[in-house]
Amino acid sequence: MRKTLLSVCLGSVLLLSACSQEATETSSPPDDPRAIEWCESFKRMENSTHSVESGQASADARDVSLSPEQRTAAATRYKELLGMPVNESADAECTGPVWDRFYEETKVRASSIAAAPTTTVSPEQAQYTQYAAALTAAGITFRPGAGLGSGAFSSDQSICKSMRDGTLDAYNLAGREQVAAQTDNGRRIVTMVPILCPDQQPLIDEALSGNAVMKRFIDGKYIVGEGYNPSGPRLVAPGTYSTGPVSDCYWERADSQGNIIDNNMVSISQSITVTIEETDGAFTSNRCGPWNLVD
């Protein structure tokens, strides 16, 4: 312990000596508004150094393992230190070469910290933060992070993409994605759209209205009617639809009793267009591919 304290003191003495050689008769006035705060730190440092060196000199003066000459020198140094000011007065000024060195080095360190680059947040990360906060506030369960899977950020980004390119319309949002039923999946989509794809809000409004119209449908059997029927047969709205190219496509229009109004078996064609009338009762499509509303 004695050797450690002695090393600290010797370092302080060397610093005082080096600063004394560089000192001018007067110290430059501080040019930084934080100088008062730094001065208080300097005083505490000086007091600490003074106390350490004084304690070490006192211990050496009593250490019988040292020679008489070493103990005498330590006692002399201890008396010198007792006579030195320790900057305990609140009115003490921070002046002199040691303060000048301390002030300049502290100012350089403060400037380096201020100039350090700050961490930037990417637009996607900022968007995810807003997304996660909104879902959490709404009490909606979701998979955190940008991983793949139902409820994940990237999955909802894909939903936005499908809404924009037309492959996911209001009808399928209301039914397949359960927006109309407002399940957890549907509530999540309603909550995330204003954040991830606010330009698609009209589709959400249509899906929630109860009057979403099927603008695209695949093969199957449908009842002709408006809106979405979650618990019964799938509905297809009256209108003109087209598909193609096709191969071995069969389509059929029927009345409410199942009687065939019109049908066709197409071996191969670039495109097919069929009009489903309001008076029709049902429509069947087999191997015709997706139909798209054109009128």
Side-chain angles (χ1 to χ4, degrees):
M1 179 66 178
R2 181 180 63 79
K3 291 182 179 180
T4 301
L5 295 174
L6 182 58
S7 298
V8 173
C9 295
L10 288 175
S12 300
V13 171
L14 290 173
L15 176 61
L16 288 169
S17 175
C19 291
S20 298
Q21 294 175 3
E22 298 175 6
T24 58
E25 292 184 359
T26 59
S27 299
S28 302
D31 57 359
D32 195 291
R34 293 167 290 183
I36 295 176
E37 176 186 347
W38 297 345
C39 180
E40 293 302 318
S41 297
F42 176 75
K43 290 177 184 178
R44 289 192 295 272
M45 182 191 71
E46 287 290 273
N47 291 340
S48 176
T49 301
H50 186 279
S51 299
V52 169
E53 190 175 359
S54 298
Q56 183 64 63
S58 176
D60 288 347
R62 299 190 304 273
D63 190 347
V64 295
S65 67
L66 299 177
S67 67
E69 291 80 6
Q70 290 175 314
R71 294 200 302 273
T72 300
T76 301
R77 179 57 181 163
Y78 177 66
K79 291 179 181 180
E80 292 175 353
L81 289 169
L82 289 180
M84 290 181 181
V86 293
N87 291 333
E88 290 181 344
S89 171
D91 298 329
E93 295 182 0
C94 290
T95 59
V98 179
W99 158 250
D100 287 345
R101 173 68 65 83
F102 176 84
Y103 171 75
E104 291 300 329
E105 290 181 351
T106 302
K107 185 167 66 172
V108 170
R109 285 196 300 270
S111 297
S112 298
I113 293 173
T118 56
T119 302
T120 57
V121 178
S122 67
E124 185 174 60
Q125 181 59 46
Q127 190 180 54
Y128 172 75
T129 299
Q130 184 182 4
Y131 163 88
L135 295 187
T136 301
I140 299 171
T141 301
F142 69 101
R143 183 177 300 174
L148 297 176
S150 178
F153 180 62
S154 60
S155 177
D156 283 342
Q157 286 179 314
S158 297
I159 288 178
C160 284
K161 181 178 181 297
S162 297
M163 292 170 69
R164 288 188 174 113
D165 64 22
T167 56
L168 183 58
D169 58 16
Y171 182 88
N172 285 310
L173 280 168
R176 189 182 73 198
E177 299 298 340
Q178 303 171 336
V179 167
Q182 281 294 276
T183 61
D184 282 349
N185 189 72
R187 290 176 59 233
R188 192 193 76 251
I189 292 175
V190 171
T191 303
M192 72 83 176
V193 163
I195 299 169
L196 302 189
C197 46
D199 54 303
Q200 298 303 307
Q201 187 60 45
L203 274 184
I204 295 296
D205 295 339
E206 184 180 351
L208 290 170
S209 70
N211 296 316
V213 175
M214 179 185 290
K215 296 181 180 179
R216 187 175 189 269
F217 64 96
I218 59 176
D219 287 335
K221 295 182 178 182
Y222 297 86
I223 296 296
V224 177
E226 301 282 354
Y228 170 70
N229 184 11
S231 59
R234 290 180 293 178
L235 302 180
V236 59
T240 299
Y241 298 86
S242 67
T243 185
V246 298
S247 176
D248 297 327
C249 159
Y250 175 77
W251 61 265
E252 175 185 296
R253 295 169 50 215
D255 62 20
S256 60
Q257 301 299 313
N259 300 310
I260 295 176
I261 300 173
D262 193 8
N263 68 336
N264 197 4
M265 178 69 190
V266 181
S267 175
I268 189 168
S269 175
Q270 288 287 341
S271 65
I272 301 173
T273 300
V274 175
T275 297
I276 301 175
E277 302 289 350
E278 293 183 359
T279 55
D280 290 357
F283 183 80
T284 299
S285 173
N286 184 26
R287 300 188 64 179
C288 296
W291 295 84
N292 296 287
L293 182 68
V294 295
D295 184 20

